[in-house]
Amino acid sequence: MDNCLFCKIIAGEIPSTKVYEDEKVFAFRDINPQAPVHILIVPKKHLDSANEIGEDNLEDVAACFAAVPKIAAAEGLSEGYRVINNCGAAAGQTVMHLHFHLIGGKELGEKIV
Ligand code: 5GP
Ligand code: ZN
C-alpha cells in the first residue's frame, strides 16, 4: 500500500526496532512507548483497520495473535500484559494499518474494560 507508514516499516524503507517476524507478521517497538514494553504487532498484509477483518484475511489476523505469546515470553512478560486495538479515529487510531499494541512490563492499573 503506497504511503502507508507501517507498510514502509515492514518493507524496511523506514527503520524500526524489530522484535519478531514471520511469513505473515511483523512486530516492532512503538516509537512512543506507554509502558516499559510497548510493541506493535502488524499483519504484513495491509488492512486499514479491524473493520477490514474478514474471511479473506483470517490467517493474517490469527498469525498476529499467535505471535502474541511468543513475543510476550521473549519480553519476559510472565506477570501479564495487555493487547489493544484502536479501530477508527474516534477510538484513537492514528495509523491506518491494522495493528495490535502489546503492552506490559509495569502494573497496568487503569482499565477501560
Ligand atoms: P494507534 O494510535 O493508531 O493505535 O497507534 C499507532 C502507534 O504507532 C502509536 O502508538 C505511535 O506511537 C506509533 N508510531 C507512529 N509512528 C511510528 C513510527 O514511525 N515508528 C514506530 N515504531 N511507531 C510509530
Ligand atoms: Zn500498510
Side-chain angles (χ1 to χ4, degrees):
M1 180 65 71
D2 290 346
N3 249 342
C4 169
L5 175 65
F6 287 176
C7 282
K8 288 180 178 169
I9 285 177
I10 293 163
E13 295 166 13
I14 291 175
S16 70
T17 307
K18 181 174 79 173
V19 298
Y20 177 85
E21 182 175 13
D22 64 30
E23 183 195 346
K24 294 184 180 299
V25 178
F26 196 86
F28 53 100
R29 297 197 190 281
D30 196 292
I31 205 167
N32 183 25
Q34 304 300 306
V37 176
H38 185 169
I39 289 163
L40 300 171
I41 303 173
V42 312
K44 288 184 173 176
K45 179 177 185 152
H46 179 94
L47 303 171
D48 281 352
S49 75
N51 276 332
E52 294 195 342
I53 296 173
E55 297 296 331
D56 291 346
N57 50 56
L58 291 180
E59 289 185 0
D60 300 278
V61 177
C64 289
F65 283 95
V68 167
K70 298 177 190 174
I71 298 169
E75 295 290 324
L77 300 180
S78 56
E79 298 295 312
Y81 52 85
R82 199 169 285 167
V83 178
I84 297 170
N85 170 253
N86 297 319
C87 181
Q93 184 177 4
T94 58
V95 179
M96 293 304 286
H97 180 129
L98 176 65
H99 54 279
F100 301 97
H101 298 256
L102 171 62
I103 292 173
K106 71 171 186 181
E107 194 75 25
L108 298 173
E110 291 180 32
K111 297 182 71 174
I112 198 165
V113 290

